Amino acid sequence: MIWPLPTPAEPVAVLRYDLDTLPRVRRFVADQAVAAGLAGDRVADLQIAVTELATNSVAHAGGAGTVQAWCTDRHLVCEVHDDGWLADPLAGRLAPAHDGIGGRGLVIVHALCDLVLVHTTAAGTTVRLHMLREAP
């Protein structure tokens, strides 16, 4: 995506994480998802997706990142930002080779969330996940 994602108009909850605080990401996401009224299985889906992105931040993008969450009238939105850069604009949209190692995390994120938006530049990457607040 060429243009940055728009700044949310709604109040935003923020958690900064690194290797030592990575376990807090799951609790933060669960708290936000439960407060937004997501069903238990959708809470778990979002936890998996955000944890995958946060783990990638720690392993491949400078060791730290930020998770933000907010509610719109129809969605809970979680956004993960780090200092990394995605060279492949289709990352996560195409299945990796069956005999390859890695490359499945973003595919899983796309499968678990209702909408995934990505903005990446040399200054960092933002991945925005949308989950419908009502049953899909």
Side-chain angles (χ1 to χ4, degrees), residues 39-60:
D41 59 334
R42 300 292 281 166
V43 172
D45 288 348
L46 187 59
Q47 283 182 297
I48 292 167
V50 174
T51 300
E52 176 62 33
L53 295 172
T55 302
N56 283 348
S57 296
V58 170
H60 307 292

Side-chain angles (χ1 to χ4, degrees), residues 31-121:
D31 290 346
Q32 300 302 312
V34 168
L38 267 63
D41 59 334
R42 300 292 281 166
V43 172
D45 288 348
L46 187 59
Q47 283 182 297
I48 292 167
V50 174
T51 300
E52 176 62 33
L53 295 172
T55 302
N56 283 348
S57 296
V58 170
H60 307 292
T66 304
V67 179
Q68 296 186 84
W70 65 92
C71 287
T72 69
D73 58 340
R74 296 197 60 219
H75 296 95
L76 171 62
V77 182
C78 284
E79 178 177 284
V80 178
H81 178 80
D82 61 40
D83 292 336
W85 176 63
L86 286 173
D88 180 1
L90 296 178
R93 296 180 188 270
L94 301 175
H98 293 290
D99 58 351
I101 296 174
R104 289 167 178 74
L106 283 174
V107 173
I108 292 168
V109 169
H110 279 272
L112 293 174
C113 298
D114 297 316
L115 175 65
V116 178
L117 301 172
V118 178
H119 179 259
T120 188
T121 68

Side-chain angles (χ1 to χ4, degrees), residues 16-30:
R16 179 116 177 105
Y17 61 87
D18 58 21
L19 178 61
D20 294 333
T21 58
L22 193 57
R24 293 182 192 162
V25 171
R26 288 183 64 80
R27 172 80 327 216
F28 174 81
V29 171

